[in-house]
Amino acid sequence: MTAATLIDRPTGTAPGPGPVRRVLVTGLATGVLAAAVLTLVVFAGAGEHAITGSALLAFGLGWATLAVLSIRRTRAPQRWALVPAALMGGTGLGLLAFAPGDGAMTAAGWVWPPAALALAVWMGVRAHRVRPGRRLLLPAVAGLAAVAVGGGFATATAPHHPMPGVAYDVGGHRLHLDCTGSGGPTVVLENGLGETSPLWSRITAPVGRDTRICAYDRAGQGWSGDAPRPQDGARAAADLHTLLAAADEPGPYVLVGHSTGGAYALTYMARYPAEVAGMVLLDSAGPNQFTALPDYPGQYAMMRRLTALLPSVARLGVLRLLPAATSSGLPAPEAALVRDFATSPRGLRNVRDELSVLPTVFAQAGALTGLAGRPLVVVTAAGTQRDTAGWAAAQDRLATLSSTSSHRLADTTHVGLLDEPDGAGVSVRAITDVVRSVRTGAPLPPH
């Protein structure tokens, strides 16, 4: 028997393999189960600091359980496990107590990966000496090393894209606005959940040949700054109102909303009716989302839990490696922009923030009872209608908001209305039809 095998147990003892393995399994399982309970139940839907902090606290509890049980119930005490227990638990408590924002979490990305890797190497040496049981411990240590390497990779390779357009101060934060073309009425594009202004690139170029068109990012999206807290539809409408005035972009506007962006557009119309000349709703969410779609309440509850985990996961660089997160029908330059924003911790934090206020956003959109005859085109994606119970009726209801309306079915997917050539072509026709109807007073074509 070597000195190495005696480091963590009293001299002269020979522990049985059964109790040691049970203690190791109990400690590791305690950490995993506690992390699941804290992140998915206790802190469900919480901010990144709470999700990361509670997970670290849980893993610290697991290592502490392993150390304490091994000391009390075996002849092979694993006192070294108290070190990761203290470091992980202390860091987790610090995150919960101080609630750092995105900037602080990003800056910490230069510090914690090398520290975690050093801890993993040290733990690996100790775990290798545990006989029996090292086959249980080494995968956990290897997982910590992989997390450290992934976190360092994510920080070192974080993309930074030059901003097109201009950012304007709207009162405490800045919003990004990118306008092209000339003529009127000006078209204003409203992003959906988790979307950013580059996603409209197949729309802005062709529409911009006929009239002025402006893409922008709500607070927390794309190149826009962060608001102090998640914004509901009324606050977002006030931001947009201030932004367009600061940029000297005169109305009235044709508002175009995709997905949840449609609800934001409806709220803007309800708040500033004199500034809206017409509207296009692209596979839009509506005020009755929670009641008109029977599956939506359950889907929403699940989304709240799962999307809250994503900013923490994104810090590890994992999402950028997934094909589903990186695929897009856009050309290469815009596809890279959309991908990088969508898989960044900040972009995913914005998704979590906007999800938290969606019930209020939908309720505020319900304040709009009609467009007073202004031209309205509702475009429904066949893919969404096929896969979502109640979607067709909800889209029909949106089309009744104006006596001058056209409801069109596009053979594409929800996002395909923006990023696929055929789907974007349907969206472009809908926008140009409303623009021409505003200009001439002519009725909308049915298709």
Side-chain angles (χ1 to χ4, degrees), residues 92-274:
L93 287 173
L95 290 173
L96 291 171
F98 295 104
D102 179 74
M105 296 290 282
T106 299
W110 294 104
V111 178
W112 73 261
L117 185 59
L119 176 63
V121 172
W122 182 86
M123 291 171 63
V125 173
R126 299 301 184 277
H128 187 72
R129 298 171 180 174
V130 179
R131 299 186 182 92
R134 64 183 176 189
R135 290 185 179 180
L136 295 171
L137 290 172
L138 289 178
V141 175
L144 176 60
V147 164
V149 172
F153 168 79
T155 300
T157 62
H160 298 280
H161 299 289
M163 181 185 72
V166 182
Y168 295 90
D169 191 322
V170 297
H173 56 280
R174 302 178 71 84
L175 293 189
H176 163 247
L177 181 70
D178 187 19
C179 298
T180 57
S182 60
T186 297
V187 175
V188 178
L189 306 173
E190 192 74 71
N191 300 328
L193 181 70
E195 296 176 355
T196 50
S197 52
L199 187 57
W200 295 91
S201 60
R202 288 196 186 276
I203 309 293
T204 54
V207 173
R209 288 193 286 267
D210 184 55
T211 195
R212 184 81 163 162
I213 184 168
C214 296
Y216 89 105
D217 296 306
R218 287 191 298 276
Q221 292 181 334
W223 288 282
S224 288
D226 295 327
R229 61 189 59 84
Q231 293 188 306
D232 60 18
R235 185 61 256 175
D239 267 9
L240 179 57
H241 175 75
T242 303
L243 173 66
L244 294 171
D248 196 24
E249 294 289 345
Y253 314 102
V254 170
L255 297 183
V256 182
H258 176 249
S259 190
T260 58
Y264 287 96
L266 293 173
T267 301
Y268 191 95
M269 169 67 190
R271 298 271 169 158
Y272 307 101

Side-chain angles (χ1 to χ4, degrees), residues 228-443:
R229 61 189 59 84
Q231 293 188 306
D232 60 18
R235 185 61 256 175
D239 267 9
L240 179 57
H241 175 75
T242 303
L243 173 66
L244 294 171
D248 196 24
E249 294 289 345
Y253 314 102
V254 170
L255 297 183
V256 182
H258 176 249
S259 190
T260 58
Y264 287 96
L266 293 173
T267 301
Y268 191 95
M269 169 67 190
R271 298 271 169 158
Y272 307 101
E275 296 183 12
V276 180
M279 190 174 292
V280 179
L281 299 176
L282 302 175
D283 219 30
S284 171
N288 303 311
Q289 197 85 342
F290 281 93
T291 56
L293 309 181
D295 298 330
Y296 189 77
Q299 293 170 349
Y300 175 77
M302 184 61 67
M303 286 191 297
R304 284 292 311 275
R305 285 175 165 79
L306 296 182
T307 56
L309 306 180
L310 295 182
S312 300
V313 175
R315 298 283 178 194
L316 311 181
V318 175
L319 299 182
R320 287 162 55 188
L321 303 178
L322 300 179
T326 58
S327 61
S328 173
L330 295 173
E334 290 80 12
L337 290 171
V338 170
R339 175 199 65 208
D340 291 342
F341 282 131
T343 57
S344 69
R346 182 173 180 269
L348 292 164
R349 177 190 290 249
N350 173 258
V351 173
R352 185 254 123 183
D353 288 348
E354 290 205 346
L355 268 173
S356 71
V357 295
L358 273 189
T360 303
V361 170
F362 295 149
Q364 291 167 337
L368 180 67
T369 58
L371 271 66
R374 295 172 176 84
L376 164 68
V377 173
V378 174
V379 180
T380 301
T384 313
Q385 180 168 291
R386 180 181 61 250
D387 299 335
T388 308
W391 192 253
Q395 296 288 289
D396 288 337
R397 189 177 296 112
L398 288 175
T400 66
L401 287 171
S402 177
S403 57
T404 307
S405 68
S406 172
H407 187 185
R408 306 170 185 183
L409 184 66
D411 187 17
T412 187
T413 63
H414 184 67
V415 180
L417 284 169
L418 302 187
D419 71 357
E420 294 177 359
D422 291 343
V426 174
S427 300
V428 168
R429 286 191 292 275
I431 296 169
T432 54
D433 284 347
V434 171
V435 167
R436 289 167 186 165
S437 179
V438 170
R439 284 176 178 170
T440 65

Side-chain angles (χ1 to χ4, degrees), residues 34-56:
V37 170
L38 289 177
T39 58
L40 295 175
V41 180
V42 178
F43 292 98
E48 182 187 357
H49 71 279
I51 295 299
T52 303
S54 62
L56 285 172

